[in-house]
Amino acid sequence: YLQGYSFATTVISCISNFILIYVLAVTHLPHVGPYRYLLLTFAIVDVLISLVHFGLVPAIHMTEFGYIYFGYRFLHAETGIGVWASLVWVLLFYQTFVLLAFHYVYRFVMMCSPTWLSWMKVRPWRNWLIVTIIADFIFVGGIMLACFLGLIPIEVSRKAFAPVLMDVYHIDLFAQNKPGYLGIAYWVRNRSSKNNITTLWTMVINKDGLKEWIPRTVLVILWVILLFFTTAAIIVWCMLQIIWSFKKSWEKPEVFDEITHYVKVPFSTTISPASKKQQRQLFTTLLWQV
């Protein structure tokens, strides 16, 4: 059932995104401009994610002490193959966060024309490309670094998740090939049997059987959360700025700034009504995409 569901969603995703790619390739609307290439990039990444998803069939299992992520199709492969297959999926998956935030930044710059970002329009192709590469390197690079520091299989996490996966999925993490996965445990503790023999649940390090946090993995997951909410904050901030710009379009067409002595021209007077309508449609589409 899981593989059938993955196949169906992959087909739907590929067809819909290829239609978008075709439309972008054969239509040339001047007022869309470079935005077509941002849409094209998003569509290509979506296709790649769908294909990798079908090839991997990823699953994630949450526990009280952490979570583990693995690919069903790579459970019989060697550790390194399973790990790298999982890392490829993570790399593509988190690209969507960067691209979605970039959509909002682009709409914000084009619709609000902030003076502090006016340099973006001097040489748009070069500047947008540089900003994209830097943002992608920081965000996705940070996620991948977190994976290498805290989610690569080690004996601690393998022992922690082995009984869980065997009980729930009948997956043996201690099989001869030692399946690869990405997993992180935030804390560990001892549990004792009736015969007073300490048995490993997550890791035997606390003689009192109390919960003990693992500093490194806690810092790693906090770093991932920080990166994720950074993109979310960028999206929300740009969204509010765009909404405020739309709101200003209903006010007086010109506002004199007493401090800078410049006349501020709102969004509505800088573009034609047709383009303004299209910008609203694109912004509404972004809201749905979130």
Side-chain angles (χ1 to χ4, degrees):
Y1 291 111
L2 183 61
Q3 294 185 14
Y5 172 79
S6 179
F7 176 77
T9 55
T10 299
V11 171
I12 294 172
S13 174
C14 289
I15 291 175
S16 59
N17 279 289
F18 277 129
I19 291 175
L20 175 59
I21 293 172
Y22 173 77
V23 171
L24 291 172
V26 300
T27 59
H28 299 281
L29 301 176
H31 49 274
V32 174
Y35 190 60
R36 71 168 64 246
Y37 298 102
L38 186 56
L39 292 172
L40 184 63
T41 303
F42 207 101
I44 293 173
V45 171
D46 274 351
V47 170
L48 291 176
I49 291 175
S50 299
L51 294 175
V52 172
H53 190 283
F54 178 70
L56 188 66
V57 188
I60 184 169
H61 184 87
M62 307 293 293
T63 69
E64 59 179 340
F65 57 83
Y67 71 89
I68 184 171
Y69 156 76
F70 57 93
Y72 272 102
R73 295 191 193 275
F74 285 83
L75 289 174
H76 300 293
E78 297 298 324
T79 305
I81 297 175
V83 169
W84 279 104
S86 300
L87 287 173
V88 169
W89 190 87
V90 170
L91 174 66
L92 291 172
F93 175 76
Y94 279 100
Q95 288 285 352
T96 60
F97 292 90
V98 179
L99 288 172
L100 188 57
F102 210 74
H103 272 285
Y104 276 89
V105 173
Y106 184 88
R107 295 257 66 79
F108 166 68
V109 173
M110 299 304 294
M111 296 168 61
C112 301
S113 299
T115 54
W116 56 281
L117 288 177
S118 58
W119 55 273
M120 294 291 292
K121 296 183 178 181
V122 177
R123 292 185 178 179
W125 288 107
R126 182 198 65 183
N127 293 339
W128 280 110
L129 183 61
I130 291 175
V131 171
T132 303
I133 293 174
I134 293 176
D136 196 66
F137 178 80
I138 293 175
F139 182 78
V140 180
I143 294 293
M144 297 302 287
L145 179 62
C147 288
F148 281 107
L149 291 178
L151 283 86
I152 297 296
I154 57 176
E155 199 65 17
V156 173
S157 62
R158 192 175 292 275
K159 288 181 179 179
F161 290 105
V164 178
L165 263 64
M166 178 58 71
D167 181 52
V168 179
Y169 307 101
H170 303 291
I171 295 174
D172 185 8
L173 287 185
F174 285 101
Q176 186 175 2
N177 63 307
K178 292 289 186 70
Y181 61 88
L182 297 178
I184 186 168
Y186 316 130
W187 53 267
V188 294
R189 75 178 175 197
N190 287 339
R191 289 188 176 181
S192 299
S193 66
K194 294 180 180 179
N195 298 325
N196 234 4
I197 301 175
T198 301
T199 57
L200 182 65
W201 179 254
T202 54
M203 183 183 179
V204 181
I205 63 170
N206 193 318
K207 295 181 179 179
D208 299 324
L210 301 175
K211 180 189 296 186
E212 186 165 322
W213 295 93
I214 305 175
R216 189 186 71 173
T217 56
V218 171
L219 291 175
V220 166
I221 200 64
L222 288 177
W223 172 244
V224 173
I225 292 173
L226 176 63
L227 289 173
F228 172 77
F229 279 101
T230 297
T231 58
I234 292 173
I235 289 173
V236 172
W237 186 83
C238 290
M239 185 187 303
L240 294 176
Q241 293 295 316
I242 294 170
I243 293 174
W244 180 83
S245 176
F246 281 135
K247 182 180 178 181
K248 291 291 291 182
S249 68
W250 294 98
E251 299 178 1
K252 295 175 63 177
E254 294 183 350
V255 180
F256 184 75
D257 194 316
E258 296 290 346
I259 299 177
T260 61
H261 300 291
Y262 284 102
V263 174
K264 294 182 177 180
V265 181
F267 168 69
S268 60
T269 62
T270 59
I271 62 176
S272 65
S275 296
K276 180 180 177 181
K277 181 180 180 181
Q278 185 200 44
Q279 296 293 346
R280 287 182 180 274
Q281 291 173 341
L282 289 171
F283 179 62
T284 303
T285 303
L286 281 182
L287 293 178
W288 280 103
Q289 202 165 1
V290 171

